[in-house]
Amino acid sequence: MIYLSIDPGIENTGVAISFEGSLVEPLTTLTSRDLVKNILRVIKEQNAQVLVIGEPESGPAKDLAQILADEIKNHFEGQIHLHPEDLSSKKAVKKMIEAGTPMMRRRNLSHAAAAAIILEDFLESVV
């Protein structure tokens, strides 16, 4: 089973992947332009069967998560799960700092790393 996770944001959306629910890896960052189309493209390219969408407690990103879930389910036959994601971006940056990741690389990876944290948390909750 291939899992994809997205950390939706107003400007950028991080994407992470896990094969068979084991190792989770940051995959890419998508811009808000044509977001649903690009998420569907990544789902197809990676042959994903499960999509986990990070959902914050409140704010515009919460609404975006629900809108994405609703739009994607019209084109994706796999499972879609909304999963709590509060502070995933801060946790991702903290992990990268602890690992010694340079600042420029952290900027480029922070959204995808946040998606990885969401997916790790989701996988731990279903096992």
PDB file of all heavy atoms in Angstrom, residues 9-13 29-41 64 68 71:
ATOM      1  N   GLY A   9      -1.343  24.319   2.491  1.00  0.00           N
ATOM      2  CA  GLY A   9      -1.073  25.677   2.914  1.00  0.00           C
ATOM      3  C   GLY A   9      -1.622  26.645   1.885  1.00  0.00           C
ATOM      4  O   GLY A   9      -1.903  26.261   0.750  1.00  0.00           O
ATOM      5  N   ILE A  10      -1.763  27.869   2.275  1.00  0.00           N
ATOM      6  CA  ILE A  10      -2.329  28.872   1.383  1.00  0.00           C
ATOM      7  C   ILE A  10      -1.418  29.101   0.168  1.00  0.00           C
ATOM      8  O   ILE A  10      -1.898  29.229  -0.946  1.00  0.00           O
ATOM      9  CB  ILE A  10      -2.581  30.192   2.144  1.00  0.00           C
ATOM     10  CG1 ILE A  10      -3.523  29.947   3.340  1.00  0.00           C
ATOM     11  CG2 ILE A  10      -3.135  31.265   1.222  1.00  0.00           C
ATOM     12  CD1 ILE A  10      -4.840  29.272   3.001  1.00  0.00           C
ATOM     13  N   GLU A  11      -0.100  29.116   0.372  1.00  0.00           N
ATOM     14  CA  GLU A  11       0.826  29.329  -0.738  1.00  0.00           C
ATOM     15  C   GLU A  11       1.506  28.050  -1.204  1.00  0.00           C
ATOM     16  O   GLU A  11       1.708  27.847  -2.396  1.00  0.00           O
ATOM     17  CB  GLU A  11       1.888  30.350  -0.351  1.00  0.00           C
ATOM     18  CG  GLU A  11       1.316  31.738  -0.163  1.00  0.00           C
ATOM     19  CD  GLU A  11       2.382  32.762   0.171  1.00  0.00           C
ATOM     20  OE1 GLU A  11       3.551  32.563  -0.219  1.00  0.00           O
ATOM     21  OE2 GLU A  11       2.048  33.750   0.825  1.00  0.00           O
ATOM     22  N   ASN A  12       1.904  27.191  -0.263  1.00  0.00           N
ATOM     23  CA  ASN A  12       2.625  25.963  -0.595  1.00  0.00           C
ATOM     24  C   ASN A  12       2.017  24.774   0.134  1.00  0.00           C
ATOM     25  O   ASN A  12       1.560  24.910   1.271  1.00  0.00           O
ATOM     26  CB  ASN A  12       4.100  26.094  -0.191  1.00  0.00           C
ATOM     27  CG  ASN A  12       4.810  27.147  -0.990  1.00  0.00           C
ATOM     28  OD1 ASN A  12       4.939  27.037  -2.194  1.00  0.00           O
ATOM     29  ND2 ASN A  12       5.264  28.197  -0.325  1.00  0.00           N
ATOM     30  N   THR A  13       2.051  23.627  -0.525  1.00  0.00           N
ATOM     31  CA  THR A  13       1.530  22.397   0.049  1.00  0.00           C
ATOM     32  C   THR A  13       2.615  21.333  -0.019  1.00  0.00           C
ATOM     33  O   THR A  13       3.130  21.034  -1.097  1.00  0.00           O
ATOM     34  CB  THR A  13       0.267  21.938  -0.723  1.00  0.00           C
ATOM     35  OG1 THR A  13      -0.758  22.915  -0.500  1.00  0.00           O
ATOM     36  CG2 THR A  13      -0.215  20.590  -0.247  1.00  0.00           C
ATOM     37  N   THR A  29       7.117  19.800  -2.823  1.00  0.00           N
ATOM     38  CA  THR A  29       6.275  20.920  -2.419  1.00  0.00           C
ATOM     39  C   THR A  29       5.570  21.440  -3.658  1.00  0.00           C
ATOM     40  O   THR A  29       6.207  21.652  -4.698  1.00  0.00           O
ATOM     41  CB  THR A  29       7.111  22.041  -1.771  1.00  0.00           C
ATOM     42  OG1 THR A  29       7.762  21.512  -0.609  1.00  0.00           O
ATOM     43  CG2 THR A  29       6.238  23.215  -1.366  1.00  0.00           C
ATOM     44  N   LEU A  30       4.259  21.615  -3.544  1.00  0.00           N
ATOM     45  CA  LEU A  30       3.440  22.118  -4.638  1.00  0.00           C
ATOM     46  C   LEU A  30       3.008  23.550  -4.327  1.00  0.00           C
ATOM     47  O   LEU A  30       2.766  23.881  -3.167  1.00  0.00           O
ATOM     48  CB  LEU A  30       2.193  21.247  -4.816  1.00  0.00           C
ATOM     49  CG  LEU A  30       2.427  19.748  -5.020  1.00  0.00           C
ATOM     50  CD1 LEU A  30       1.104  19.007  -4.983  1.00  0.00           C
ATOM     51  CD2 LEU A  30       3.146  19.492  -6.333  1.00  0.00           C
ATOM     52  N   THR A  31       2.887  24.369  -5.349  1.00  0.00           N
ATOM     53  CA  THR A  31       2.354  25.714  -5.144  1.00  0.00           C
ATOM     54  C   THR A  31       0.830  25.646  -5.191  1.00  0.00           C
ATOM     55  O   THR A  31       0.251  24.649  -5.607  1.00  0.00           O
ATOM     56  CB  THR A  31       2.848  26.690  -6.230  1.00  0.00           C
ATOM     57  OG1 THR A  31       2.374  26.254  -7.494  1.00  0.00           O
ATOM     58  CG2 THR A  31       4.368  26.783  -6.221  1.00  0.00           C
ATOM     59  N   SER A  32       0.188  26.724  -4.774  1.00  0.00           N
ATOM     60  CA  SER A  32      -1.272  26.735  -4.713  1.00  0.00           C
ATOM     61  C   SER A  32      -1.916  26.772  -6.097  1.00  0.00           C
ATOM     62  O   SER A  32      -3.086  26.432  -6.244  1.00  0.00           O
ATOM     63  CB  SER A  32      -1.760  27.914  -3.875  1.00  0.00           C
ATOM     64  OG  SER A  32      -1.301  29.115  -4.428  1.00  0.00           O
ATOM     65  N   ARG A  33      -1.166  27.132  -7.110  1.00  0.00           N
ATOM     66  CA  ARG A  33      -1.701  27.174  -8.476  1.00  0.00           C
ATOM     67  C   ARG A  33      -2.006  25.764  -8.978  1.00  0.00           C
ATOM     68  O   ARG A  33      -1.143  24.883  -8.931  1.00  0.00           O
ATOM     69  CB  ARG A  33      -0.690  27.860  -9.388  1.00  0.00           C
ATOM     70  CG  ARG A  33      -1.208  28.084 -10.770  1.00  0.00           C
ATOM     71  CD  ARG A  33      -0.263  28.984 -11.548  1.00  0.00           C
ATOM     72  NE  ARG A  33      -0.682  28.956 -12.933  1.00  0.00           N
ATOM     73  CZ  ARG A  33       0.137  28.876 -13.940  1.00  0.00           C
ATOM     74  NH1 ARG A  33       1.433  28.855 -13.734  1.00  0.00           N
ATOM     75  NH2 ARG A  33      -0.316  28.841 -15.163  1.00  0.00           N
ATOM     76  N   ASP A  34      -3.232  25.534  -9.420  1.00  0.00           N
ATOM     77  CA  ASP A  34      -3.678  24.220  -9.928  1.00  0.00           C
ATOM     78  C   ASP A  34      -3.414  23.112  -8.903  1.00  0.00           C
ATOM     79  O   ASP A  34      -2.987  22.012  -9.264  1.00  0.00           O
ATOM     80  CB  ASP A  34      -2.985  23.880 -11.250  1.00  0.00           C
ATOM     81  CG  ASP A  34      -3.336  24.842 -12.364  1.00  0.00           C
ATOM     82  OD1 ASP A  34      -4.497  25.290 -12.424  1.00  0.00           O
ATOM     83  OD2 ASP A  34      -2.445  25.154 -13.185  1.00  0.00           O
ATOM     84  N   LEU A  35      -3.679  23.390  -7.640  1.00  0.00           N
ATOM     85  CA  LEU A  35      -3.307  22.467  -6.570  1.00  0.00           C
ATOM     86  C   LEU A  35      -3.974  21.103  -6.706  1.00  0.00           C
ATOM     87  O   LEU A  35      -3.294  20.076  -6.630  1.00  0.00           O
ATOM     88  CB  LEU A  35      -3.614  23.089  -5.206  1.00  0.00           C
ATOM     89  CG  LEU A  35      -3.181  22.271  -3.996  1.00  0.00           C
ATOM     90  CD1 LEU A  35      -1.680  21.974  -4.038  1.00  0.00           C
ATOM     91  CD2 LEU A  35      -3.531  23.016  -2.714  1.00  0.00           C
ATOM     92  N   VAL A  36      -5.275  21.059  -6.910  1.00  0.00           N
ATOM     93  CA  VAL A  36      -5.962  19.762  -7.012  1.00  0.00           C
ATOM     94  C   VAL A  36      -5.411  18.967  -8.185  1.00  0.00           C
ATOM     95  O   VAL A  36      -5.111  17.773  -8.054  1.00  0.00           O
ATOM     96  CB  VAL A  36      -7.490  19.948  -7.123  1.00  0.00           C
ATOM     97  CG1 VAL A  36      -8.179  18.628  -7.433  1.00  0.00           C
ATOM     98  CG2 VAL A  36      -8.051  20.551  -5.847  1.00  0.00           C
ATOM     99  N   LYS A  37      -5.242  19.617  -9.318  1.00  0.00           N
ATOM    100  CA  LYS A  37      -4.689  18.953 -10.506  1.00  0.00           C
ATOM    101  C   LYS A  37      -3.304  18.382 -10.207  1.00  0.00           C
ATOM    102  O   LYS A  37      -2.992  17.243 -10.574  1.00  0.00           O
ATOM    103  CB  LYS A  37      -4.624  19.960 -11.654  1.00  0.00           C
ATOM    104  CG  LYS A  37      -4.023  19.427 -12.923  1.00  0.00           C
ATOM    105  CD  LYS A  37      -3.973  20.527 -13.980  1.00  0.00           C
ATOM    106  CE  LYS A  37      -3.187  20.094 -15.190  1.00  0.00           C
ATOM    107  NZ  LYS A  37      -3.037  21.179 -16.158  1.00  0.00           N
ATOM    108  N   ASN A  38      -2.469  19.143  -9.515  1.00  0.00           N
ATOM    109  CA  ASN A  38      -1.116  18.680  -9.215  1.00  0.00           C
ATOM    110  C   ASN A  38      -1.104  17.566  -8.172  1.00  0.00           C
ATOM    111  O   ASN A  38      -0.298  16.643  -8.261  1.00  0.00           O
ATOM    112  CB  ASN A  38      -0.240  19.852  -8.788  1.00  0.00           C
ATOM    113  CG  ASN A  38       0.137  20.715  -9.968  1.00  0.00           C
ATOM    114  OD1 ASN A  38       0.389  20.219 -11.056  1.00  0.00           O
ATOM    115  ND2 ASN A  38       0.144  22.016  -9.769  1.00  0.00           N
ATOM    116  N   ILE A  39      -1.998  17.627  -7.197  1.00  0.00           N
ATOM    117  CA  ILE A  39      -2.092  16.536  -6.225  1.00  0.00           C
ATOM    118  C   ILE A  39      -2.527  15.261  -6.939  1.00  0.00           C
ATOM    119  O   ILE A  39      -1.952  14.187  -6.709  1.00  0.00           O
ATOM    120  CB  ILE A  39      -3.066  16.896  -5.085  1.00  0.00           C
ATOM    121  CG1 ILE A  39      -2.486  18.008  -4.212  1.00  0.00           C
ATOM    122  CG2 ILE A  39      -3.377  15.657  -4.234  1.00  0.00           C
ATOM    123  CD1 ILE A  39      -3.473  18.596  -3.219  1.00  0.00           C
ATOM    124  N   LEU A  40      -3.519  15.359  -7.817  1.00  0.00           N
ATOM    125  CA  LEU A  40      -3.979  14.180  -8.562  1.00  0.00           C
ATOM    126  C   LEU A  40      -2.862  13.618  -9.443  1.00  0.00           C
ATOM    127  O   LEU A  40      -2.725  12.404  -9.586  1.00  0.00           O
ATOM    128  CB  LEU A  40      -5.215  14.526  -9.392  1.00  0.00           C
ATOM    129  CG  LEU A  40      -6.474  14.809  -8.585  1.00  0.00           C
ATOM    130  CD1 LEU A  40      -7.565  15.399  -9.474  1.00  0.00           C
ATOM    131  CD2 LEU A  40      -6.970  13.555  -7.873  1.00  0.00           C
ATOM    132  N   ARG A  41      -2.042  14.499 -10.004  1.00  0.00           N
ATOM    133  CA  ARG A  41      -0.898  14.046 -10.820  1.00  0.00           C
ATOM    134  C   ARG A  41       0.087  13.246  -9.969  1.00  0.00           C
ATOM    135  O   ARG A  41       0.545  12.171 -10.362  1.00  0.00           O
ATOM    136  CB  ARG A  41      -0.195  15.254 -11.452  1.00  0.00           C
ATOM    137  CG  ARG A  41       1.060  14.880 -12.258  1.00  0.00           C
ATOM    138  CD  ARG A  41       1.789  16.120 -12.776  1.00  0.00           C
ATOM    139  NE  ARG A  41       2.039  17.146 -11.784  1.00  0.00           N
ATOM    140  CZ  ARG A  41       3.027  17.110 -10.877  1.00  0.00           C
ATOM    141  NH1 ARG A  41       3.849  16.078 -10.826  1.00  0.00           N
ATOM    142  NH2 ARG A  41       3.186  18.107 -10.022  1.00  0.00           N
ATOM    143  N   LEU A  64      -9.324  24.776   3.748  1.00  0.00           N
ATOM    144  CA  LEU A  64      -8.639  24.278   2.557  1.00  0.00           C
ATOM    145  C   LEU A  64      -8.536  22.760   2.587  1.00  0.00           C
ATOM    146  O   LEU A  64      -8.750  22.099   1.570  1.00  0.00           O
ATOM    147  CB  LEU A  64      -7.246  24.907   2.439  1.00  0.00           C
ATOM    148  CG  LEU A  64      -6.387  24.432   1.273  1.00  0.00           C
ATOM    149  CD1 LEU A  64      -7.062  24.679  -0.061  1.00  0.00           C
ATOM    150  CD2 LEU A  64      -5.018  25.120   1.320  1.00  0.00           C
ATOM    151  N   LEU A  68     -10.088  20.436  -0.315  1.00  0.00           N
ATOM    152  CA  LEU A  68      -9.251  19.502  -1.070  1.00  0.00           C
ATOM    153  C   LEU A  68      -9.800  18.084  -0.998  1.00  0.00           C
ATOM    154  O   LEU A  68      -9.883  17.386  -2.017  1.00  0.00           O
ATOM    155  CB  LEU A  68      -7.813  19.537  -0.553  1.00  0.00           C
ATOM    156  CG  LEU A  68      -7.007  20.779  -0.885  1.00  0.00           C
ATOM    157  CD1 LEU A  68      -5.665  20.753  -0.171  1.00  0.00           C
ATOM    158  CD2 LEU A  68      -6.814  20.916  -2.391  1.00  0.00           C
ATOM    159  N   GLU A  71     -12.891  17.830  -3.236  1.00  0.00           N
ATOM    160  CA  GLU A  71     -12.599  17.873  -4.673  1.00  0.00           C
ATOM    161  C   GLU A  71     -11.845  16.633  -5.142  1.00  0.00           C
ATOM    162  O   GLU A  71     -12.112  16.116  -6.220  1.00  0.00           O
ATOM    163  CB  GLU A  71     -11.824  19.143  -5.008  1.00  0.00           C
ATOM    164  CG  GLU A  71     -12.675  20.392  -4.908  1.00  0.00           C
ATOM    165  CD  GLU A  71     -11.972  21.640  -5.404  1.00  0.00           C
ATOM    166  OE1 GLU A  71     -11.054  21.522  -6.248  1.00  0.00           O
ATOM    167  OE2 GLU A  71     -12.336  22.730  -4.944  1.00  0.00           O
TER     168      GLU A  71
END
